[in-house]
Structure formats: structure tokens, C-alpha cells
Amino acid sequence: MTTPMEATSRNSAGPVWPALLLFQGVWAGCIAAGAGAAPPFVVFAALAASVLFAVHVLPLQALPIAVALVLTGWVNDLFLARIGLFRFTAGSFETTLWLAAIWFSFVVTAPAVYRWLTCRPALAFGVGAVGGTLSYSMASLWGAIAIPSPFAFYAALPLVWGVRMLCVLWFMTCIEHIVTRTGHPTLQRPRRPHPFPKGATPCER
């Protein structure tokens, strides 16, 4: 039996590959800038591309939620650096810019890239725990961050990123509700009935 979310995934016009390529490009450019291997304008270009993507793809009603998630993740990373879980190698101003650009790109591309995790919280937690930790490990290899205590880092960060992915999952559920009400043209093919009956939640079968 097909679930509503599976039907939505097949009927969705969400730009999965453009979103994935955008985030990977933003991540690489910002990490390189954070490590001093790329000029600062790369960060501004990455942020501009993410803003254009968000305006084109996300429903207007979802943008305040996206901004709240970006600010939460950004402040949380600064806090983790403050307590010594990792350390940024660039100056505070440069770090603020590239970290914000990565977070904004991650949040606005997540609904397309991670759509398949909707209604799968345990899997989402695992993907966040592994993928998030690996991305910070790669940032360390590139020289954008330093890890003073690998034991503390690998003990704590998977839990942090597992919870973060659950927050992203909630964000995607909010977007599904918005699409249900508005029939957003970018996230839903026109002329096809939406699989959710009025008032239904995305995870209802």
C-alpha cells in the first residue's frame, strides 16, 4: 500500500539534484574560505545563490521557520566552539559569514535533499549523526576547524546532529502542510490532486 508521503515524493517537482549540488558547492566554497584557501567573495556568492534558491523553491510562509532554524544552528555551533568541542581557525567575522552561509544553504535545500526521511525519525537521527559528524571531520581536514579533543568531539557531535536532523524533519513537515494548503507550484506538480485530504498530516496513511 502506498503511503501519502511516498505518493508525494513521486509527484513532487522538488529540485533534488540542484539542491544537492547547490549545498555541496556552498559547503566546499565556504569551508575553503574558512580555511583561507578561497577569497571572501566566495562566501557572499554562496549566500546569494542560497537566497535565490530559497525564494524560488520555498513557500513564503516557510521562510520565517527557515530563518529561525538557521539562527538556531548558527548560535549552537558558536556555542559548541565556545565550550571547546571544536575551534574555528579563521577570525570571528569571517567565521560568522561562512558559517551562516552554510547553515542557510543547508536549511533551504534540506526539504528537497532529505525529503525521503519524512516520517522516518529514527533514520533521520542516524543520518544526521553520521553525516553531520563527517562534514565537520572533513572541515577539520580542510583546515577550517580544529578539534582539540577527538574523544569529546566524536562522543557529543553525533547526538547534536541527530537532534538537529529531527528539527529539520519538523521543518519539512511544516512545509508539507503549507504545500497542502497552498499547492506551491515548485514543490508540487500542477494539475494533479494532492494526496493529503484536507486536514490530514503528511504521515497519515
Side-chain angles (χ1 to χ4, degrees), residues 6 12 29 33 97 118 143 156 163:
E6 290 168 344
S12 170
L97 287 179
T118 309
V163 173

Side-chain angles (χ1 to χ4, degrees), residues 31 54 113 118 167 175 179 189:
I31 292 300
V113 176
T118 309
C167 294
I175 290 181
V179 171
R189 293 186 189 276

Side-chain angles (χ1 to χ4, degrees), residues 22-175:
L22 172 63
F23 176 69
Q24 293 301 323
V26 168
W27 185 92
C30 289
I31 292 300
F41 80 84
V42 171
V43 176
F44 291 101
L47 186 57
S50 299
V51 170
L52 289 175
F53 181 88
V55 171
H56 176 68
V57 172
L58 293 182
L60 183 62
Q61 300 92 323
L63 291 181
I65 306 174
V67 171
L69 282 178
V70 171
L71 291 175
T72 302
W74 174 68
V75 171
N76 185 243
D77 266 348
L78 294 179
F79 172 75
L80 294 178
R82 181 75 175 178
I83 64 175
L85 198 62
F86 51 82
R87 178 172 52 84
F88 297 110
T89 56
S92 58
F93 179 73
E94 293 86 350
T95 297
T96 298
L97 287 179
W98 71 254
L99 187 61
I102 288 180
W103 265 105
F104 188 82
S105 180
F106 171 71
V107 169
V108 300
T109 58
V113 176
Y114 298 107
R115 190 182 187 91
W116 55 280
L117 291 176
T118 309
C119 303
R120 299 169 178 171
L123 183 58
F125 186 94
V127 169
V130 175
T133 304
L134 285 177
S135 69
Y136 284 61
S137 298
M138 289 298 297
S140 174
L141 291 177
W142 284 33
I145 66 172
I147 303 175
S149 173
F151 177 79
F153 176 84
Y154 289 108
L157 202 64
L159 298 177
V160 170
W161 262 101
V163 173
R164 287 175 174 178
M165 279 302 294
L166 293 180
C167 294
V168 171
L169 203 66
W170 168 77
F171 177 50
M172 291 190 290
T173 302
C174 292
I175 290 181

